Amino acid sequence: MAALLLSSRLPTATPPASTSAPRPSPRFIAFPVTTAEACRRRGCILASSATAPPGPTPAAAQPFRSLAPSETTVLVTGATGYIGRFVVRELLRRGHRVLAVARPRSGIRGKNSQEDVVADLAPARVVFSDVTELDALRADLSEYGPIHAAVCCLASRGGGVQDSWRVDYRATLHTLQAARSLGAAHFVLLSAVCVQKPLLEFQRAKLKFEDELAAEAARDPAFTYSIVRPTAFFKSLGGQVEVVKKGNPYVMFGDGKLCACKPISEENLASFIADCIFDENKANKVLPIGGPGKALTPLEQGEMLFRLLGREPKFIKVPIQIMDSVIWVLDGLAKVFPGLEDAAEFGKIGRYYASESMLVLDPDTGEYSDELTPSYGTDTLEQFFDKVIRDGMAGQELGEQTIF
């Protein structure tokens, strides 16, 4: 997939029912949860400073799989995020009662007011709270129990070191603790396929929480979970559409074949996440998931874009070694100037996405596998590119992350 590059600014310290046609049945494979010990063997940092305080005693799990969707309440955190908004809409479409948690000022750089959020997520019940503060979250949700299931769509904004542990681990753990105190019997975690090769801080933070989630299910047989690990999102591959549309070349690293992905649309991913609520075949499993069709390299993505525009392909090939040099310099400076720690981490994130495929790793070969990466849905990247060419990237803003 195209590389994720450093934004032009460092992230701020601000915390982060109708009917439709039947959806195709997915084909998917499940992998065991990575244990903390295995994570340590791979060099993950399980920092004690990132450990949240013990949570409240869980309430009795609320059995729900025999109930109609209209009789179940689902808690959603990260409800105003890129995927969270679509998850809320899909759950509402299926008839669930939805309790959506949002920040008082949400959206990119806090541009959305509380009134905007309530209108956008209607008819879900919106609770404004701070997921990074467990006591506040529990207090704000206390009057809305019991709940039956929870979906966590939280993710750190830029992948900075401290922000990763604050959101991808601690705030996510708070979601679990608050949900359990309200009786949640099932928890769906939106993770990422890239955690299978953890070289970055946000990946380590996500893996640590995955361990916490599996441990909770081991303690209580009445509690289950689903860990959803999607590949690339459409919007992360759309950053160059407007640039190329204006006549500029498509930029890629190396020969454009260093990595590949099976991108999935936000609607299809939201549908898969909603499936996890009732589908017992998805319980207590790690579920990698991608979109339909074959895996695409950056070169193939660029060729697709030029074909849709009716133009001859024109590429700029950037040597990957340039990123290595930048990371080496930033790492060295960060040792002297700790304030540059995140800048160094952002460089590593860019390098990772420029060279690592967003596909399932074959445990036998250690190579990324198109065939082992499950497909779901019908939305294609070509359809997305065509829409962006016509309508632009409105609603697909990249926020703290930019692509080239």
Side-chain angles (χ1 to χ4, degrees):
M1 64 182 289
L4 175 66
L5 297 182
L6 180 62
S7 161
S8 60
R9 66 196 184 288
L10 293 181
T12 67
T14 303
S18 58
T19 58
S20 62
R23 298 182 184 272
S25 299
R27 57 181 182 87
F28 63 91
I29 54 179
F31 294 85
V33 176
T34 305
T35 65
E37 181 59 35
C39 187
R40 280 190 287 270
R41 287 199 298 270
R42 287 197 301 266
C44 302
I45 300 173
L46 301 184
S48 59
S49 62
T51 303
T57 302
Q62 302 294 311
F64 69 95
R65 289 193 172 93
S66 63
L67 300 176
S70 61
E71 298 174 332
T72 62
T73 299
V74 182
L75 172 72
V76 181
T77 56
T80 58
Y82 177 59
I83 299 300
R85 293 168 62 243
F86 288 94
V87 169
V88 169
R89 291 170 186 170
E90 180 63 18
L91 291 171
L92 290 170
R93 187 190 71 81
R94 296 186 183 201
H96 293 282
R97 299 190 297 258
V98 177
L99 185 60
V101 177
R103 289 168 290 142
R105 298 292 300 187
S106 65
I108 298 173
R109 291 176 288 279
K111 68 178 182 179
N112 298 328
S113 68
Q114 293 188 19
E115 292 75 15
D116 294 332
V117 172
V118 170
D120 185 47
L121 300 181
R125 180 183 291 275
V126 179
V127 176
F128 294 97
S129 189
D130 183 356
V131 290
T132 66
E133 296 292 338
L134 177 59
D135 290 343
L137 180 63
R138 289 177 57 203
D140 292 334
L141 291 174
S142 61
E143 64 181 283
Y144 300 108
I147 65 171
H148 300 88
V151 179
C152 181
C153 297
L154 295 171
S156 55
R157 290 188 175 192
V161 175
Q162 298 302 319
D163 197 40
S164 292
W165 286 103
R166 184 175 60 86
V167 178
D168 293 304
Y169 173 66
R170 190 178 293 113
T172 306
L173 180 60
H174 293 171
T175 299
L176 173 62
Q177 293 169 334
R180 293 290 281 140
S181 71
L182 293 173
H186 189 70
F187 191 97
V188 184
L189 172 67
L190 176 60
S191 186
V193 76
C194 63
V195 302
Q196 64 191 329
K197 189 174 181 180
L199 303 179
L200 304 168
E201 210 66 27
F202 81 87
Q203 296 165 339
R204 296 168 183 138
K206 287 181 181 293
L207 279 175
K208 180 167 173 59
F209 176 75
E210 289 188 8
D211 288 340
E212 299 276 359
L213 188 56
E216 181 68 14
R219 284 191 293 268
D220 182 359
F223 174 76
T224 56
Y225 64 87
S226 301
I227 296 174
V228 179
R229 291 180 176 176
T231 58
F233 302 150
F234 280 2
K235 81 164 185 178
S236 66
L237 305 178
Q240 295 194 70
V241 175
E242 289 296 329
V243 174
V244 172
K245 184 178 177 181
K246 294 176 182 177
N248 296 300
Y250 187 93
V251 183
M252 58 190 182
F253 285 101
D255 61 359
K257 301 178 183 178
L258 296 176
C259 57
C261 65
K262 295 178 73 171
I264 186 168
S265 73
E266 54 271 21
E267 290 95 342
N268 287 167
L269 178 56
S271 176
F272 184 83
I273 289 172
D275 288 348
C276 293
I277 301 293
F278 278 128
D279 190 347
E280 294 188 68
N281 291 324
K282 294 182 175 64
N284 294 340
K285 291 178 181 176
V286 174
L287 304 163
I289 194 69
K294 65 181 289 291
L296 299 170
T297 65
L299 176 62
E300 291 171 318
Q301 295 165 30
E303 290 172 340
M304 176 190 296
L305 183 53
F306 283 110
R307 183 173 67 252
L308 290 171
L309 289 167
R311 298 177 184 169
E312 286 297 315
K314 184 169 54 175
F315 296 99
I316 290 180
K317 299 178 180 181
V318 180
I320 194 70
Q321 293 78 9
I322 289 179
M323 296 196 73
D324 294 331
S325 300
V326 172
I327 293 169
W328 183 82
V329 171
L330 289 173
D331 261 342
L333 290 173
K335 294 174 182 177
V336 180
F337 305 103
L340 292 175
E341 177 185 54
D342 280 354
E345 187 70 10
F346 298 154
K348 294 172 186 176
I349 293 172
R351 176 65 166 81
Y352 190 100
Y353 284 110
S355 57
E356 301 288 342
S357 291
M358 296 298 105
L359 300 170
V360 169
L361 272 172
D362 187 331
D364 296 326
T365 66
E367 301 293 329
Y368 292 107
S369 172
D370 184 352
E371 291 73 23
L372 289 181
T373 304
S375 295
Y376 182 87
T378 58
D379 299 339
T380 67
L381 183 64
E382 184 166 0
Q383 293 169 339
F384 173 76
F385 278 172
D386 187 55
K387 181 178 184 299
V388 175
I389 289 171
R390 289 183 283 105
D391 304 330
M393 286 283 285
Q396 303 284 339
E397 292 86 354
L398 293 168
E400 305 294 346
Q401 304 167 352
T402 58
I403 304 213
F404 293 112

